[in-house]
């Protein structure tokens, strides 16, 4: 929208232009930066603010003639990576597509099993694993410090599906779980529930994944 406007008219009446996520380079974004660079000498009062969490400061500062830069330090949190095969074994989840000959036999790590899991994960959207993972987190994170589990999904239909599965899995159980859906089709009031503090119930937020 901004690119189209700058191509058709001058930015009169505009004092600031903020361009976020400029590390995501594309032909259109590079063309926008080119237009902004050419406009600045003609409109010295115009302020252009470029933002990014992973910005190459020297590259963009040099492109705009040594523009000043400001770095705001964020807070880092420890992240533990768990892979699909680990999660399947830890939760004792048995994907229907991988049912062994002996249905009572536990799944055991092996090269063949890892290959089967890879094929299963690429072919199926097995949402039944999600409640198992959530339960594993509740059981292993002791004591629970009123944290929130975020489940990222591809759309509103998937969110509704997973919300039902999680609510069904924990109904009447030891863990009092509240599942909150968050997507663009909900009202503003419904989306604000995500920011409410809950000290009694364990909260799971199912939201649309933002593609970067």
């Amino acid at each position: 929208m901004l690119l189209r406007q700058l191509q058709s008219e001058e930015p009169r009446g505009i004092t600031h232009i903020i361009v976020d996520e400029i590390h995501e380079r594309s032909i259109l974004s590079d063309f926008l930066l080119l237009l902004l660079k050419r406009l600045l000498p003609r409109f010295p009062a115009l302020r252009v603010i470029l933002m990014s969490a992973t910005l190459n400061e020297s590259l963009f500062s040099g492109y705009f003639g040594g523009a000043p830069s400001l770095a705001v330090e964020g807070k880092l949190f420890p992240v533990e990576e768990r892979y699909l095969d680990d999660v399947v074994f830890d939760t004792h989840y048995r994907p229907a597509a991988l049912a062994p000959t002996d249905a009572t036999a536990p799944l055991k790590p092996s090269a063949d099993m890892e290959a089967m899991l890879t094929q299963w994960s690429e072919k199926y959207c097995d949402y039944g694993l999600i409640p198992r993972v959530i339960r594993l987190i509740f059981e292993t994170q002791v004591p629970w410090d009123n944290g929130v589990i975020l489940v990222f999904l591809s759309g509103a239909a998937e969110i509704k599906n997973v919300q039902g599965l999680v609510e069904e899995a924990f109904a009447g159980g030891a863990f009092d779980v509240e599942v909150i859906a968050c997507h663009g089709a909900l009202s503003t009031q419904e989306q604000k529930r995500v920011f409410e503090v809950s000290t009694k119930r364990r909260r799971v937020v199912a939201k649309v994944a933002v593609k970067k």
Side-chain angles (χ1 to χ4, degrees):
M1 180 178 176
L2 176 61
L3 179 59
R4 183 175 301 174
Q5 180 179 352
L6 294 178
Q7 286 179 289
S8 59
E9 59 184 82
E10 295 181 338
R12 300 189 184 279
I14 298 177
T15 60
H16 295 73
I17 295 178
I18 301 176
V19 185
D20 196 10
E21 304 292 355
I22 61 171
H23 63 275
E24 297 185 355
R25 304 284 299 276
S26 68
I27 294 177
L28 293 179
S29 65
D30 284 356
F31 187 48
L32 173 61
L33 296 181
L34 174 63
L35 286 179
L36 292 175
K37 181 180 180 181
R38 292 184 176 182
L39 284 173
L40 286 174
R42 296 166 49 200
F43 299 89
L46 179 64
R47 297 292 181 263
V48 176
I49 303 172
L50 309 178
M51 299 173 57
S52 170
T54 57
L55 171 65
N56 184 337
E57 296 181 31
S58 60
L59 175 65
F60 287 92
S61 175
Y63 182 73
F64 282 90
S69 61
L70 175 65
V72 179
E73 293 188 7
K75 186 175 181 181
L76 299 178
F77 296 89
V79 176
E80 178 185 354
E81 294 184 351
R82 302 294 299 276
Y83 297 94
L84 179 63
D85 50 351
D86 297 322
V87 172
V88 169
F89 295 127
D90 291 343
T91 59
H92 307 290
Y93 183 70
R94 190 184 301 278
L98 299 183
T101 303
D102 183 359
T104 62
L107 294 175
K108 296 181 180 180
S110 67
D112 292 340
M113 182 58 65
E114 291 182 5
M116 292 172 66
L117 285 171
T118 300
Q119 182 181 10
W120 165 69
S121 64
E122 293 175 350
K123 185 177 181 181
Y124 300 97
C125 292
D126 195 339
Y127 296 118
L129 178 60
I130 295 177
R132 294 289 192 95
V133 174
I134 294 174
R135 183 177 297 278
L136 177 65
I137 294 173
F138 286 154
E139 292 175 345
T140 56
Q141 297 297 314
V142 179
W144 186 254
D145 59 356
N146 296 327
V148 178
I149 295 178
L150 293 178
V151 181
F152 293 99
L153 299 158
S154 58
E158 290 77 11
I159 289 176
K160 184 177 181 180
N161 184 12
V162 170
Q163 182 178 14
L165 290 174
V166 175
E167 290 175 343
E168 180 182 357
F170 289 95
F175 300 115
D176 186 9
V177 179
E178 177 184 22
V179 184
I180 299 178
C182 184
H183 54 78
L186 298 175
S187 67
T188 302
Q189 191 64 32
E190 289 175 308
Q191 295 186 41
K192 285 183 177 179
R193 290 185 59 207
V194 174
F195 303 102
E196 296 175 355
V197 178
S198 176
T199 58
K200 296 182 179 180
R201 309 185 70 186
R202 304 196 179 204
R203 179 167 292 185
V204 176
V205 175
K207 68 180 302 292
V208 176
V210 179
K211 296 182 178 179
K212 292 292 185 181

